Amino acid sequence: DQNEPNALHILANIAFSMAQFDRALELVSRAISLRPTQPDYFTTLGSIYSLKAKPKMALDAYTKVLELN
């Protein structure tokens, strides 16, 4: 379901594991838009940004994890 954030997050993790980082970013961003208080989503986001060589964006995502926990 395109409106189920947990399903989107699972799909993002699958895309991430297949090195489809742009697709993973798209999926996790959608999950975050639907449930912006889920720290696991931001952990995934930070991992994606780290591998895409975007350290500032990764740090922002990881900081959000700490704020939500």
Side-chain angles (χ1 to χ4, degrees):
D1 182 354
Q2 293 183 359
N3 291 316
E4 209 312 293
N6 286 329
L8 291 165
H9 185 238
I10 290 167
L11 291 172
N13 281 316
I14 291 168
F16 181 87
S17 72
M18 297 172 65
Q20 296 176 358
F21 303 122
D22 290 336
R23 179 71 176 140
L25 180 59
E26 175 187 326
L27 290 163
V28 79
S29 295
R30 177 86 174 119
I32 288 169
S33 73
L34 294 168
R35 190 174 296 153
T37 58
Q38 177 52 258
D40 291 344
Y41 300 172
F42 288 95
T43 300
T44 300
L45 184 64
S47 297
I48 294 166
Y49 282 138
S50 291
L51 288 175
K52 288 178 66 73
K54 297 187 177 197
K56 170 69 171 105
M57 295 174 91
L59 180 61
D60 290 347
Y62 293 136
T63 300
K64 186 69 174 178
V65 172
L66 296 174
E67 291 172 1
L68 292 171
N69 278 324

